[in-house]
Amino acid sequence: MNILIAFLVFFCQPVLWIGLIRNYLNYRKRINRERSLFNTAIYRSNNEFRHFIVSFILLGILSSIISVLLGIILPTNFIVLYEILLLINLLLIPTHLMPITITFISSIVYMLFGNVDYLNQYLSLNLNMNKTNNQNLLAFITVILIISSLYYKWFGGKMNSPQIYYNQRNTKKSFLYF
């Protein structure tokens, strides 16, 4: 029963669903842009979705295993703050996900205002809101840096579509961002 509840909690997260919607919209935008510029789609497969699933599932499992092995305990206030900042990132900047920046910002805000018991005060959830050591936040930031570097090594600069610009003679030229 606990495993079922854990899966339900995992799939009920708004970050997952907004991330899926964001990736689909980015995919459609890229396909439409490539079809209008090149009269064909450069990469018709949904690479955005595949990268999202790999980063969300495989790298999430890898970071969870590393966190359990290192004994990283994150407070509920920090997790809620991290999720809220991640949602804001997904909604306001739909083409870029910044996990390292979000981790740093949420760590700094937690260290400054971490004693605030806002969840139990407003929602009456009776959660444990004890502060944890800052070493846990540092270890979490290190895990995020390692996992992000793996992601950028595997997927960085691959499957980019060319960008079009006009030169001095007003002819179309294409180039790739790396």
Side-chain angles (χ1 to χ4, degrees):
M1 186 66 178
N2 290 336
I3 295 173
L4 179 64
I5 292 172
F7 277 115
L8 287 176
V9 167
F10 177 75
F11 286 110
C12 290
Q13 292 198 20
V15 173
L16 170 68
W17 296 107
I18 291 176
L20 287 173
I21 293 168
R22 177 195 71 114
N23 277 313
Y24 178 74
L25 294 176
N26 286 345
Y27 165 71
R28 295 302 315 161
K29 181 180 173 185
R30 180 183 58 84
I31 292 294
N32 290 336
R33 183 179 55 80
E34 288 177 356
R35 285 186 179 150
S36 69
L37 291 175
F38 306 110
N39 296 328
T40 185
I42 303 298
Y43 298 111
R44 290 194 62 202
S45 63
N46 193 347
N47 296 318
E48 293 89 351
F49 182 71
R50 183 176 54 219
H51 295 172
F52 179 75
I53 292 299
V54 166
S55 67
F56 195 76
I57 302 296
L58 293 180
L59 296 177
I61 291 171
L62 181 64
S63 64
S64 296
I65 291 171
I66 292 172
S67 298
V68 167
L69 291 176
L70 293 177
I72 299 173
I73 299 171
L74 295 174
T76 309
N77 289 350
F78 176 80
I79 294 171
V80 169
L81 180 65
Y82 182 77
E83 292 282 329
I84 289 171
L85 289 176
L86 198 57
L87 279 172
I88 291 171
N89 175 225
L90 286 172
L91 293 174
L92 295 182
I93 311 170
T95 56
H96 300 290
L97 186 63
M98 302 177 289
I100 298 169
T101 307
I102 291 171
T103 306
F104 279 120
I105 292 171
S106 56
S107 297
I108 290 169
V109 170
Y110 175 75
M111 284 190 279
L112 293 176
F113 306 107
N115 288 329
V116 178
D117 194 12
Y118 60 88
L119 285 177
N120 284 337
Q121 181 180 358
Y122 296 113
L123 301 176
S124 66
L125 295 175
N126 296 326
L127 296 173
N128 184 5
M129 295 296 178
N130 294 335
K131 280 191 77 166
T132 59
N133 294 334
N134 291 337
Q135 290 87 356
N136 286 334
L137 295 177
L138 181 63
F140 180 69
I141 290 171
T142 305
V143 169
I144 291 291
L145 283 171
I146 291 169
I147 296 299
S148 296
S149 67
L150 286 175
Y151 176 78
Y152 294 136
K153 183 177 187 269
W154 289 339
F155 298 118
K158 297 179 182 166
M159 303 295 178
N160 288 338
S161 62
Q163 303 294 317
I164 297 292
Y165 73 97
Y166 291 94
N167 63 6
Q168 292 175 345
R169 296 181 193 167
N170 204 20
T171 58
K172 279 186 183 180
K173 297 290 180 179
S174 66
F175 66 97
L176 289 169
Y177 281 118
F178 291 106

